[in-house]
Amino acid sequence: MKEFKKIEFQTGPNGLLNVNHDGVLFEYMEKNYDFTKLAMSWLEENYPDAVKYLEGKFKKNKWNRRLFEWSIVTNFFSCKCGALDDELDIDAEGEIHVEHVNCPIRSFCEDKICRMQSKYKLTDEESKVVPLLADGMSHESIGIILGKSANTIKSTINRACKRFEIQMNGKVLVAFCRKKGLL
């Protein structure tokens, strides 16, 4: 069985999800259950809140496991990765690269799957610091902008690194956040 890596998703003109999985292009259908199982396993590991939400949304289909899981996978990846671009949506490491999907119902959609974050989340303070860090700003400059000391900014970065179990380094944190779709 293939791994859930090297994947590009695109919503076709017919509204169905097209998948290019490691060079094999197919229109994703309920019958593609091997792919669905891979995708569900990946989703449960990386986006448990989204899975829980979508299970509730599609609970009427729960009696038909294939349709139930296909609906979850289709909804999630259409909303998170349904636009075509030149970067794999799931890269060779199995990490997602979220893209902005031009959705005609975004303003009144109740799902907000497009905005759901992975199990890796930044705190409110971290979400102010990390983008500025990603722009190449120093701790001192970030502190001035946010009205905090450089030491407070450094502590915020170190707490995030510790929670994510990565090296305590701003550049490593930025790379991690980019890889996990947090930036």
Side-chain angles (χ1 to χ4, degrees):
M1 188 182 319
K2 286 187 172 189
E3 295 179 291
F4 201 72
K5 297 178 178 181
K6 298 181 184 176
I7 303 169
E8 177 67 31
F9 297 96
Q10 180 188 13
T11 305
N14 58 1
L16 295 175
L17 192 61
N18 296 309
V19 178
N20 185 334
H21 187 196
D22 202 14
V24 178
L25 182 63
F26 60 95
E27 190 172 76
Y28 180 52
M29 308 289 272
E30 185 183 339
K31 68 181 180 179
N32 302 113
Y33 196 59
D34 286 341
F35 183 82
T36 300
K37 288 189 294 187
L38 278 174
M40 281 300 296
S41 177
W42 185 91
L43 282 171
E44 287 164 348
E45 170 66 24
N46 292 283
Y47 283 85
D49 292 344
V51 171
K52 186 174 182 175
Y53 174 81
L54 290 169
E55 284 175 342
K57 178 180 179 179
F58 296 112
K59 65 183 173 196
K60 69 179 187 285
N61 297 336
K62 199 163 190 157
W63 60 271
N64 179 343
R65 193 82 183 151
R66 287 181 183 228
L67 175 61
F68 179 64
E69 291 180 347
W70 174 83
S71 300
I72 290 168
V73 170
T74 299
N75 194 154
F76 181 87
F77 287 108
S78 294
C79 291
K80 281 291 218 195
C81 306
L84 183 62
D85 60 8
D86 22 343
E87 181 176 29
L88 289 173
D89 296 322
I90 306 295
D91 67 19
E93 303 298 318
E95 300 293 338
I96 192 168
H97 297 271
V98 176
E99 54 204 21
H100 179 78
V101 177
N102 289 325
C103 178
I105 64 169
R106 185 180 310 279
S107 61
F108 55 88
C109 173
E110 293 179 17
D111 293 353
K112 302 297 183 213
I113 295 299
C114 58
R115 295 187 188 139
M116 285 194 173
Q117 296 203 359
S118 74
K119 68 178 181 180
Y120 301 102
K121 296 177 181 135
L122 295 173
T123 65
D124 289 342
E125 195 61 29
E126 291 162 359
S127 21
K128 294 173 189 168
V129 170
V130 174
L132 298 173
L133 196 60
D135 287 341
M137 297 181 80
S138 68
H139 298 165
E140 292 77 16
S141 299
I142 296 170
I144 290 168
I145 290 171
L146 298 179
K148 309 276 183 183
S149 74
N151 283 337
T152 300
I153 301 305
K154 187 174 181 178
S155 293
T156 300
I157 293 165
N158 287 341
R159 274 193 307 275
C161 290
K162 185 175 181 180
R163 194 174 70 256
F164 295 140
E165 299 176 351
I166 59 175
Q167 179 186 350
M168 290 203 187
N169 176 297
K171 289 180 181 177
V172 172
L173 177 62
V174 167
F176 177 86
C177 289
R178 281 194 173 119
K179 195 171 191 180
K180 296 296 183 186
L182 302 176
L183 274 177

